[in-house]
Every structure is written in C-alpha cells, then in structure tokens.
C-alpha cells in the first residue's frame, strides 16, 4: 500500500455502504442505503467516479447496468487512517493517543465492552 488512502467524508460514507453490502451495488442501491442523506443520484454517481479514480472502488457493467464494489478493505483503511491520526496528532505514539482518550474517563465504558480498568 504505497499510496495513501485519501477520500472525503462523503466518499467514506459511500464506501461504508459498499463495505456493509458485501455485494456490488448500483448507484440507486447506494442512494437507497445512505441513511438520512438526501443526495441525488448524480451526486452519488460523481462520488463513485472520483473513488474509482482514487482506486477505492471498481465498476463492472452487467446488462448495461454499472455496479460498484470496494477495492479497499475496511480494516486496511481503518489501520491507515489510525496511523495517520497518531502520526499527525500524537507524534507517532499510540500510547499518547490512549492517554488522551482515557484522561477524561468518557471512553472507559464505551468501546471496551464495559470494562473500566485503567490502561
């Protein structure tokens, strides 16, 4: 993975729909699955085209209908974005990130299966 996986927030929402679907989707299917979004068909189509140019998705034509599927794996994207966050905000220290998350105590219960042990 030499090139960074960089996409906009809107593109990420579309990518999450594709990851959750686990099958190629038509543009209209993506529109229908975008919760609380009133994006038009053309908007979603433009986002998918940009994502294809970035290598995040690929399209395949079946019976004159274009279907999109993700190329990037969710786990690989999450890992790269986490590493980027740690590098940018915490000087490459995952420990500093963890300390920052737990200083206020807000994150003790959330995300750790209810365990409130100190890290």
């Amino acid at each position: 993975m030499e090139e960074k996986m960089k996409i906009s927030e809107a593109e990420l929402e579309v990518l999450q729909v594709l990851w959750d679907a686990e099958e190629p989707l038509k543009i209209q299917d993506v529109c229908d699955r975008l919760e609380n979004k009133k994006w038009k068909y053309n908007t979603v189509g433009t986002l998918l085209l940009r994502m294809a140019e970035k290598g995040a998705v690929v399209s395949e034509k079946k019976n004159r209908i274009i279907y999109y599927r993700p190329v990037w794996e969710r786990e690989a994207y999450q890992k790269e974005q986490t590493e980027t966050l740690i590098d940018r905000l915490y000087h490459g220290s995952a420990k500093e990130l963890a300390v920052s998350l737990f200083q206020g105590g807000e994150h003790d219960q959330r995300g750790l299966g209810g365990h409130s042990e100190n890290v």
Side-chain angles (χ1 to χ4, degrees):
M1 178 177 19
E2 289 178 13
E3 258 185 58
K4 292 278 185 194
M5 298 175 169
K6 287 185 97 173
I7 56 176
S8 69
E9 288 295 319
E11 291 167 338
L12 177 57
E13 289 187 55
V14 170
L15 189 56
Q16 288 173 332
V17 167
L18 294 174
W19 282 329
D20 292 343
E22 298 180 358
E23 64 182 0
L25 296 177
K26 300 179 289 189
I27 295 172
Q28 187 60 55
D29 294 334
V30 174
C31 291
D32 294 344
R33 294 178 189 208
L34 282 165
E35 296 178 15
N36 303 320
K37 295 289 177 192
K38 302 281 187 218
W39 291 345
K40 296 187 188 238
Y41 181 94
N42 289 342
T43 301
V44 174
T46 299
L47 291 170
L48 285 163
L49 286 174
R50 282 192 210 152
M51 293 166 62
E53 290 172 1
K54 295 175 182 182
V57 302
V58 292
S59 63
E60 45 194 75
K61 199 171 196 176
K62 295 179 188 172
N63 299 325
R64 298 183 354 197
I65 299 173
I66 299 172
Y67 291 84
Y68 291 87
R69 65 177 175 79
V71 173
W72 295 348
E73 294 180 11
R74 185 188 309 246
E75 293 78 18
Y77 180 79
Q78 290 171 334
K79 183 176 187 238
E80 181 169 303
Q81 293 306 303
T82 301
E83 289 172 359
T84 298
L85 174 77
I86 291 168
D87 287 345
R88 286 181 51 220
L89 298 179
Y90 299 98
H91 311 299
S93 171
K95 181 180 177 182
E96 284 186 36
L97 169 63
V99 168
S100 173
L101 287 172
F102 291 103
Q103 277 179 339
E106 300 171 14
H107 301 279
D108 287 350
Q109 296 291 324
R110 194 178 82 210
L112 290 178
H115 296 100
S116 59
E117 297 174 24
N118 291 334
V119 174

